[in-house]
Amino acid sequence: MPSVTGSVTGPATNRLPFVVWVLAAGTFLMGTTEFVIAGLLPEMAADLNVSVSHAGLLITAFAVGMIVGGPTMAMATLRLPQRHTLVGALTVFALGHGIAALSTSFTVVLSARVVTALATGAFWAVGFVIATSAAGPARSTRAVGVMMGGLTLANVVGVPIGSFVGQYTGWRGPFWALAVLAALAAAFVGRFIPRTDQRAEVSVRAEIRALRQSRLWLALAAAVLIMGGVLATYTYITPLLTDRAGIPAGAVPLVLIVFGIGALGGTAIGGRWGDCRPMATTITAAAATALTLLALIPASNSPVTAVVLVLLMALTGFTVNPVVTSLAVRFAGDAPTLTSALTTSAYNTGIAAGSLAAGRALDSSLGLTGPSVVGAAFAALTLLPLIALALSNAADSSRIVAQHTAGADTAEQQAANATMTSTR
């Protein structure tokens, strides 16, 4: 069994530790519950007697719960064994879904979503730290990409299956399935995550001190904006596909699979290229996302074009995620837990802001294309913190080169002086 701090095969191998794949399985469930609502919105709205835009608050509420819960739970569990935190988070996650499935009240379902979001935030905060420390600095972005691959795989498998099942069993069926799977995952994680004690030197003060890095906040800003752009559109993708593109409701899960494939591909690309060319990868991907969402506004009335653009939206948007996550954790140095939680909060701030703005745009004169307009604006704004981060890194590199050059000149001058002294 590989340890949390390294691979069982040692530094010579390019293979990721097994623990990273275990965490990816956990994020699969987290991703499924967060995004399956997009495919169930009409059914949930009808059953809970609310409008579709109002039902969209179930996505916003989950995002808000993770925004607050991620950092809060990260600090509350800072000195607890990481294994216990993960098992506890999955247990609460399972109970929250059971309560939601039993209720007929929109308020209770909304509250249950917040509670499960708190648990999800704790899982992600600790999971990212375990994954990056297990993989080591050279493979940290790849490890984050694999862990987030569980999230994107949820879009390929979990969300479409949940949407398909929900059309036949009602939205409660997927919720019951998630509750059972989360309980099984808690047992699985308890079995395979190594038993380790939390580091004694970890302190809240050190975690907060790590937040002084300006580059960290640029990475977090990019995470907010890119996720806000993609999810603003994705939250209300079902009415766009059915009412504008003319795709039958029964085929929507297939389009969600296409989105998931794009997200999985983007995460893989970001994980592979992010370690060697982080800024070129993120800037290019963010620009491509903005252009894709802009194209979706006039071209979404064609079923084929709409599906292709949904694929590209996910492919380009999700390329940014593992890179900025890895950069944020790297900037935090030896106190990554709070930063990891804030990264999760950043993504969900984007989801909350994007879905809320998209819901209002949907009810405006923009109609079905409103969410795409909001998404394109968010994605374009992502370029600002990414370019600032690239300039900051370039300035740091120039300063390091200048210091090395000055040091070399000083050493050369000292050697020359020594030579002159010895010849006198």
Side-chain angles (χ1 to χ4, degrees):
M1 174 67 65
S3 69
V4 175
T5 57
S7 171
V8 71
T9 54
T13 182
N14 196 38
R15 187 177 302 170
L16 289 174
F18 179 67
V19 66
V20 176
W21 301 97
V22 173
L23 293 169
T27 58
F28 171 82
L29 292 177
M30 307 296 180
T32 298
T33 195
E34 183 161 13
F35 301 125
V36 75
I37 300 296
L40 301 174
L41 273 185
E43 291 82 2
M44 296 189 74
D47 186 56
L48 298 173
N49 297 315
V50 295
S51 66
V52 172
S53 61
H54 195 66
L57 291 176
L58 294 171
I59 295 177
T60 305
F62 192 93
V64 171
M66 288 192 67
I67 292 167
V68 177
T72 302
M73 297 305 295
M75 292 295 95
T77 62
L78 188 60
R79 292 186 175 275
L80 293 178
Q82 294 170 328
R83 177 171 164 271
H84 291 175
T85 301
L86 295 179
V87 172
L90 285 167
T91 302
V92 173
F93 183 91
L95 292 173
H97 280 81
I99 292 172
L102 289 170
S103 177
T104 58
S105 167
F106 179 81
T107 302
V108 172
V109 175
L110 192 70
S111 301
R113 291 283 289 173
V114 174
V115 171
T116 54
L118 296 176
T120 301
F123 185 94
W124 276 76
V126 175
F128 274 133
V129 173
I130 294 176
T132 53
S133 62
R139 294 172 295 170
S140 61
T141 301
R142 186 179 166 208
V144 170
V146 168
M147 186 176 167
M148 295 186 73
L151 174 67
T152 51
L153 186 62
N155 287 290
V156 179
V157 180
V159 171
I161 290 178
S163 178
F164 180 79
V165 171
Q167 292 181 7
Y168 291 93
T169 66
W171 63 270
R172 301 176 196 278
F175 271 62
W176 278 120
L178 285 167
V180 172
L181 290 174
L184 293 174
F188 188 84
V189 167
R191 168 68 178 83
F192 287 101
I193 295 293
R195 297 175 180 270
T196 57
D197 293 329
Q198 187 72 311
R199 296 174 298 169
E201 69 270 16
V202 173
S203 69
V204 174
R205 181 176 299 178
E207 294 285 342
I208 294 176
R209 190 163 51 242
L211 302 183
R212 296 176 181 176
Q213 286 252 21
S214 60
R215 292 184 299 175
L216 166 64
W217 292 102
L218 290 174
L220 293 176
V224 169
L225 292 167
I226 193 63
M227 188 57 74
V230 174
L231 267 296
T233 306
Y234 182 74
T235 298
Y236 298 100
I237 198 67
T238 298
L240 180 74
L241 294 174
T242 56
D243 299 343
R244 182 170 171 82
I247 295 175
V252 169
L254 298 178
V255 182
L256 298 183
I257 292 176
V258 171
F259 177 89
I261 291 172
L264 189 62
T267 302
I269 291 171
R272 285 289 182 179
W273 293 357
D275 283 322
C276 55
R277 297 180 179 275
M279 301 321 305
T281 300
T282 52
I283 290 173
T284 302
T289 304
L291 293 174
T292 300
L293 291 170
L294 277 175
L296 190 62
I297 297 169
S300 57
N301 54 2
S302 166
V304 175
T305 305
V307 172
V308 171
L309 290 174
V310 166
L311 171 68
L312 292 177
M313 171 183 73
L315 181 69
T316 56
F318 276 76
T319 296
V320 179
N321 295 349
V323 186
V324 294
T325 300
S326 179
L327 288 175
V329 174
R330 193 180 307 168
F331 293 151
D334 295 330
T337 304
L338 181 56
T339 298
S340 176
L342 286 174
T343 304
T344 304
S345 294
Y347 286 125
N348 284 277
T349 298
I351 294 172
S355 61
L356 186 61
R360 293 184 176 181
L362 181 67
D363 291 335
S364 72
S365 59
L366 294 172
L368 294 172
T369 61
S372 298
V373 173
V374 173
F378 270 68
L381 289 173
T382 308
L383 293 170
L384 297 180
L386 289 177
I387 292 172
L389 188 56
L391 294 175
S392 174
N393 289 342
D396 286 348
S397 298
S398 299
R399 188 159 48 248
I400 291 172
V401 170
Q403 290 173 348
H404 285 177
T405 302
D409 291 342
T410 301
E412 184 178 347
Q413 183 62 44
Q414 290 175 348
N417 292 339
T419 301
M420 292 177 62
T421 302
S422 64
T423 57
R424 288 176 179 174

